[in-house]
Amino acid sequence: MLNAFAVLIDGLVYAAYLFIVAIGLTLIFGVMKILNVAHGSFFTFGAYGAASAVGIYFNRGLPEAGGYLLMVVLAMALGLVLGLILERGIMRWVYGRDEVVMALVTYAAFLILEDVVILIWGPGSYAAYQPLLSAGNIEIGELILSNYDLGLIAVAAMLAAACYWGLKFTRYGRLLTAVIFDRETAAAFGINVRVVYTVTFVIGAMLGALGGAIMAPKIAVTLGIGVEVIVLAFAVVAIGGMGSIEGAFAGALIVGICRAATVHLFPQVELFVIYAVMALVLMIRPYGLFVRAQPRKI
Amino acid sequence: MSSPILSVQDLGKRFGSLFAARDITVSIPAQQTVGVIGANGAGKTTFINMITGHLRPTKGTIHFEGRDITALPSRQIKAMGISRSFQVAQIFPSLTVFENMCAAAAIGRAPKTLIGHVRTPLRSQESVAEAKTLLELFQIAPYRDSLAATLPQGIRKLLDIGMALAGAPRLLLLDEPTSGISIEEKFDLMQIVMSALLSRKITVLFVEHDMDIIEGFAERVLAFYDGTVIADGMPAATLADPRVQTLISGPKLRSAVGTGAHV
Amino acid sequence: MVRGDRIAAGSAFLAAAVAGFMLPDWIISLATIAFANGLVVLGLIVMWRAGLVSFGQALYYCMGGYAVALIGRWGGVTDAFLLVLVGGLSAAGISFVIGFLLARYREIFFAMLSLALSMILYGLLVKTESLGSTDGLNVIVPTFLGYAPHQEKLIVALYFLVLVVCATAALLVGAYFRSLAGALAIPVRDNELRVEFLGMSVSRLIHTKLVISALLAGTGGALAALAVGHVDPNMSYWTTSGEFVFITILAGAGSVGAAFVGSLAFESVRSFAFAMLPQLWEILLGSVLLLTILFLPQGLGSLIERLHWGREAKAP
């Protein structure tokens, strides 16, 4: 019983993290049909930015709440700048090309940004444990849970709700839905697809950086975190269906729970299980759980 | 009447609650040229898709030259002698016209084993010869070295139909050979296509919206409405059928103008 | 092959062979790895001509490498030719099985699924103690049909082994490109529906390409394992696949030889950059990839291929 509860909580925490990272990826794919490998770089920048800022901030003994705010704001700012540079500087030149080509362009950007991280922050690793410590723990029965973890679940849930609400009830959300549904018709109806693209890419980048910032206190911020995160996020998005927000939600839950269960039960297969689940889902539903294949009309 | 080359019994196709085709029973003798008319959504393309194996019928059987071909994969049906062209020309845009035709000819005569595919050259003497013949036959030889992506619409259609004729099929299904072609050019295009096909003595079934073309080229007309055949007979008789006139062709006067919309 | 191509290929092979006796060891070692990896790139070219880009080719590369390490260690096989053959065939065998699944996918979905499959292998290897876990395994020192060289002699012997295997592969793949099954790559990429309605099974054509490219990648992995003397799970990591895709983009799908030239250029620049500008290696890599895609789209697409599509055959 305790075990099942622990798996559930661990799974939810991990799912929350995956969802925050995956949602930006799926948003960009849904609207722009770009499989954005550079999403891993957004994550990395967010994590490094937050880690270094948090270190400085907490060492000064300033109020804790401000530390959390700083983390988030800084990550968003980094995402904004990086997203704008990438979209305006590179991506817009390859719109309309093959999806695989666009993915390769983001891969190139990812490679470049990996080294830029080293140039800015050096090859050493950062620890940003202070927020995790200052949040404290809570005991539920025999289980000791970190408040920070619970907060992570809350943030992910809020983000999911915000995305849902944003897409359904705001003007921009409806524009996005229109573009996702049919780009050409949307353009024909006077939607400025170019602006929609820029805004979407920047929002996606900010979400990626936010994911990195939120995760920074929980991990060792070191070289190569982006490389790992991006394949995980791919798996989540592929399971749920690329471009689908509900899919990212479901995919994150599935992967999160599966991983937590294997960590508790069969730790040897931890990494393997995520991709095995992905391969299994794709075998049954090639386009993921929430996306239907469109038969070709002749 | 000799034994039919194509015989369709009680054919039906359901998509959920929608009947795209139902109770279609038709038999076509060898070397007949059959026109198919009907409004958009009447089931004409569904009918062709089922015969050529693109769609699996939910009901009924299809026999070709006495053999049951119901629900076989399209490439097997093609190998047995049924070929088709498409409403939107299906060609290889990054190859030249000649290369398109070569590919069609080479596939048509390739052995059916994997080893055979690896051992067959793309341009054997036979396939090159057939490709050249087909280019001449459809009068597109002047475009021989143009990239297919750059072709004008009429030439694309001719190439599409020419490719379908590679490998000497005995039944050819043409799905709207003149769609996307301006009214002035339609007749000339049909003239080229039909004289080419006539010289090969093959059975032809073509979908067409223009009643003048139907009258000019079809020996027999199948009129589709709501997924089934409501009239079947000589062109003059079928087109004069009051049901056909109200449901499909409209009064004679409007037909020439009306066709422009069916693209 | 037209006569000019044949002469060029022959002299390139001769030059590479002569170089084996003249150049210093470190260059020979570098070229050995580069040509072994060139086989993987050649496999990617086979798929790319049909419009497929795999982000998981490292799966087969890694399979080939581990097969060599394992049978060398436990099977007592030391003959290099046999080891390489087994490495290639085991990768091809796996690919034949998963090809039934993979051949149904296209574009980005194909790339993602192949990536997932390679990561499954990575996850397995990392957590399997008996296969060396993250440390990997050492590979035995091979013999060559009874000849057992050491040190410098071994380096040269491996180089010639790689050279012979690559030349054979290049000839066979060249012949495949000229065959109907190979030449139909572009029609498949352009319009699968038409290929199917002309009477050819697209999934079978693609399945064949998958197996051929896995055979090449497995062989490349086996050769690389022998040359390095070690295998580890990173051979299966997605960044390894990414590197192969990278070289493929640079090389272009135009010719068989491009795979080896591209791979050699890549390894040379890498060793140069590692020595001179270790912090800028990936910036360099990314910029070159970006510039290639933006300004040399023909390296990416149809132009070069067009020149080669069946044009070698005698013009009628």
Side-chain angles (χ1 to χ4, degrees):
Chain A
M1 191 57 223
L2 177 68
N3 226 347
F5 188 62
V7 165
L8 183 68
I9 295 292
D10 278 0
L12 280 179
V13 172
Y14 198 56
Y17 148 63
L18 289 175
F19 177 72
I20 297 169
V21 179
I23 184 145
L25 191 69
T26 209
L27 183 72
I28 290 179
F29 186 85
V31 177
M32 311 165 79
K33 296 286 170 274
I34 297 174
L35 183 63
N36 182 20
V37 183
H39 204 67
S41 314
F42 301 151
F43 180 90
T44 311
F45 270 80
Y48 269 93
S52 49
V54 158
I56 296 166
Y57 185 89
F58 277 83
N59 285 346
R60 299 241 163 111
L62 296 165
E64 285 166 9
Y68 297 111
L69 195 66
L70 176 70
M71 242 166 58
V72 171
V73 171
L74 190 76
M76 299 289 233
L78 278 172
L80 177 83
V81 173
L82 218 51
L84 267 181
I85 293 176
L86 270 194
E87 200 275 338
R88 288 285 85 195
I90 300 177
M91 293 318 298
R92 70 178 167 130
W93 302 107
V94 289
Y95 288 156
R97 297 273 289 270
D98 209 54
E99 282 170 30
V100 175
V101 172
M102 291 199 289
L104 283 169
V105 168
T106 66
Y107 174 58
F110 167 79
L111 289 173
I112 294 172
L113 290 173
E114 282 291 278
D115 269 357
V116 172
V117 168
I118 304 180
L119 291 179
I120 298 178
W121 282 285
S125 69
Y126 287 72
Y129 55 89
Q130 296 94 334
L132 194 61
L133 269 189
S134 73
N137 293 325
I138 182 171
E139 276 183 52
I140 302 177
E142 292 165 56
L143 218 59
I144 299 169
L145 299 173
S146 154
N147 283 330
Y148 193 87
D149 282 351
L150 297 180
L152 203 61
I153 298 178
V155 168
M158 268 156 41
L159 207 57
C163 283
Y164 182 79
W165 177 82
L167 279 179
K168 279 261 145 74
F169 298 108
T170 65
R171 201 182 103 80
Y172 180 70
R174 293 208 192 104
L175 286 185
L176 273 195
T177 317
V179 175
I180 291 172
F181 190 72
D182 187 339
R183 198 176 327 196
E184 268 139 48
T185 312
F189 275 93
I191 294 177
N192 189 337
V193 176
R194 228 184 48 180
V195 173
V196 169
Y197 274 17
T198 307
V199 173
T200 305
F201 198 84
V202 167
I203 290 179
M206 286 164 76
L207 286 168
L210 180 67
I214 293 178
M215 278 312 280
K218 286 181 59 73
I219 56 175
V221 178
T222 179
L223 295 178
I225 49 172
V227 177
E228 268 172 51
V229 144
I230 190 65
V231 279
L232 275 179
F234 278 173
V236 168
V237 170
I239 287 172
M242 292 203 282
S244 153
I245 304 279
E246 304 96 305
F249 193 77
L253 274 179
I254 291 171
V255 171
I257 303 278
C258 278
R259 180 178 174 275
T262 45
V263 166
H264 281 262
L265 302 173
F266 318 98
Q268 317 83 290
V269 297
E270 178 203 333
L271 244 179
F272 157 84
V273 77
I274 297 173
Y275 300 101
V277 168
M278 168 176 170
L280 198 73
V281 168
L282 291 185
M283 255 182 252
I284 300 159
R285 288 190 62 103
Y287 299 97
L289 294 174
F290 284 79
V291 177
R292 277 195 172 280
Q294 307 250 329
R296 182 169 166 192
K297 267 193 94 134
I298 55 169
Chain B
M1 201 155 95
S2 59
S3 72
I5 188 167
L6 181 77
S7 156
V8 173
Q9 275 291 328
D10 199 21
L11 203 62
K13 176 72 194 175
R14 236 177 102 157
F15 295 105
S17 60
L18 176 83
F19 285 88
R22 56 195 166 83
D23 312 326
I24 302 176
T25 299
V26 172
S27 80
I28 296 170
Q31 296 190 31
Q32 196 169 50
T33 300
V34 182
V36 175
I37 59 172
N40 290 327
K44 310 179 299 293
T45 299
T46 306
F47 180 59
I48 289 185
N49 282 344
M50 285 191 291
I51 296 173
T52 53
H54 189 62
L55 285 177
R56 181 186 282 266
T58 34
K59 197 165 162 268
T61 57
I62 307 163
H63 284 81
F64 175 65
E65 296 178 339
R67 287 188 288 177
D68 188 355
I69 60 162
T70 320
L72 287 181
S74 46
R75 58 173 181 281
Q76 233 163 304
I77 289 176
K78 156 77 192 183
M80 293 171 81
I82 302 182
S83 194
R84 71 172 289 180
S85 73
F86 301 83
Q87 200 169 342
V88 176
Q90 298 293 331
I91 52 183
F92 305 125
S94 49
L95 300 182
T96 65
V97 169
F98 180 63
E99 287 165 342
N100 265 277
M101 213 57 114
C102 268
I107 295 175
R109 57 184 64 247
K112 294 296 164 240
T113 61
L114 187 62
I115 302 294
H117 295 164
V118 177
R119 291 184 49 188
T120 315
L122 175 69
R123 297 184 172 196
S124 65
Q125 266 183 346
E126 297 85 22
S127 57
V128 165
E130 183 180 11
K132 287 166 97 175
T133 313
L134 286 169
L135 290 185
E136 296 292 339
L137 193 60
F138 285 89
Q139 304 181 19
I140 49 177
Y143 292 91
R144 195 193 133 118
D145 295 318
S146 312
L147 268 189
T150 64
L151 295 177
Q153 185 64 297
I155 308 300
R156 293 170 83 93
K157 297 292 269 194
L158 287 172
L159 177 58
D160 183 49
I161 298 168
M163 286 167 77
L165 198 57
R170 294 179 296 287
L171 170 62
L172 185 58
L173 307 170
L174 307 174
D175 192 359
E176 301 200 23
T178 65
S179 78
I181 307 294
S182 69
I183 297 177
E184 306 86 74
E185 289 171 281
K186 273 184 179 185
F187 221 85
D188 294 344
L189 182 121
M190 262 330 252
Q191 196 71 56
I192 297 174
V193 170
M194 284 306 171
S195 56
L197 298 184
L198 227 59
S199 74
R200 293 294 177 100
K201 297 200 176 356
I202 66 175
T203 316
V204 182
L205 188 141
F206 69 99
V207 173
E208 181 56 63
H209 285 293
D210 189 321
M211 298 307 151
D212 293 335
I213 288 185
I214 287 285
E215 281 187 310
F217 295 98
E219 297 167 13
R220 171 182 169 190
V221 175
L222 298 177
F224 273 72
Y225 180 77
D226 194 22
T228 195
V229 178
I230 55 166
D232 177 358
M234 305 285 284
T238 312
L239 295 184
D241 185 312
R243 291 228 297 157
V244 171
Q245 287 205 343
T246 31
L247 296 172
I248 304 169
S249 56
K252 181 75 181 157
L253 231 177
R254 276 179 53 215
S255 70
V257 184
T259 48
H262 296 294
V263 176
Chain C
M1 233 191 279
V2 287
R3 189 125 162 267
D5 285 357
R6 217 175 290 165
I7 293 169
S11 30
F13 180 77
L14 272 183
V18 170
F21 293 110
M22 323 223 343
L23 294 174
D25 286 348
W26 69 272
I27 296 186
I28 298 299
S29 297
L30 184 143
T32 305
I33 298 287
F35 290 148
N37 291 348
L39 285 173
V40 189
V41 175
L42 186 57
L44 283 172
I45 289 177
V46 169
M47 287 194 283
W48 186 20
R49 288 164 68 100
L52 296 169
V53 175
S54 163
F55 252 88
Q57 205 64 359
L59 169 67
Y60 309 113
Y61 184 67
C62 186
M63 288 279 310
Y66 269 77
V68 164
L70 291 177
I71 54 166
R73 173 176 280 224
W74 290 322
V77 179
T78 59
D79 186 71
F81 291 94
L82 200 57
L83 286 171
V84 170
L85 188 68
V86 173
L89 287 182
S90 53
I94 288 288
S95 151
F96 176 73
V97 175
I98 58 182
F100 287 101
L101 172 68
L102 211 48
R104 295 178 359 212
Y105 293 77
R106 301 292 179 270
E107 297 169 357
I108 212 84
F109 299 94
F110 177 84
M112 301 250 319
L113 187 59
S114 49
L115 177 118
L117 293 169
S118 74
M119 290 302 288
I120 289 179
L121 179 64
Y122 176 78
L124 276 178
L125 291 176
V126 163
K127 294 282 175 174
T128 310
E129 291 295 335
S130 56
L131 295 180
S133 184
T134 44
D135 293 337
L137 297 169
N138 283 328
V139 178
I140 52 141
V141 176
T143 59
F144 301 79
L145 305 172
Y147 169 60
H150 277 282
Q151 265 116 43
E152 299 91 42
K153 291 248 173 78
L154 177 65
I155 292 175
V156 175
L158 278 169
Y159 176 72
F160 277 98
L161 172 71
V162 169
L163 220 51
V164 168
V165 173
C166 288
T168 313
L171 284 178
L172 290 177
V173 172
Y176 171 74
F177 284 166
R178 287 187 299 277
S179 79
L180 181 61
L184 283 179
I186 295 167
V188 164
R189 193 192 59 198
D190 268 8
N191 195 339
E192 288 186 18
L193 187 81
R194 182 40 123 174
V195 174
E196 196 75 29
F197 273 100
L198 285 173
M200 190 71 104
S201 163
V202 170
S203 65
R204 189 147 78 156
L205 283 171
I206 286 183
H207 199 157
T208 313
K209 288 177 197 304
L210 297 185
V211 173
I212 291 175
S213 79
L215 177 67
L216 290 165
T219 308
L223 289 168
L226 287 176
V228 177
H230 185 80
V231 293
D232 68 48
N234 274 329
M235 284 179 90
S236 181
Y237 203 58
W238 75 269
T239 47
T240 310
S241 301
E243 263 176 24
F244 291 134
V245 172
F246 177 94
I247 304 170
T248 311
I249 305 284
L250 285 193
S255 77
V256 170
F260 301 103
V261 176
S263 186
L264 188 62
F266 180 85
E267 283 300 328
S268 313
V269 175
R270 163 147 68 189
S271 63
F272 171 76
F274 265 176
M276 310 297 279
L277 324 147
Q279 306 291 301
L280 298 177
W281 160 239
E282 288 191 303
I283 289 189
L284 186 70
L285 209 62
S287 316
V288 171
L289 180 58
L290 205 56
L291 294 175
T292 311
I293 294 174
L294 288 177
F295 298 109
L296 288 172
Q298 71 270 36
L300 263 174
S302 53
L303 271 179
I304 297 177
E305 289 162 33
R306 284 203 46 73
L307 294 173
H308 283 261
W309 199 77
R311 304 276 154 77
E312 293 92 341
K314 207 172 52 190

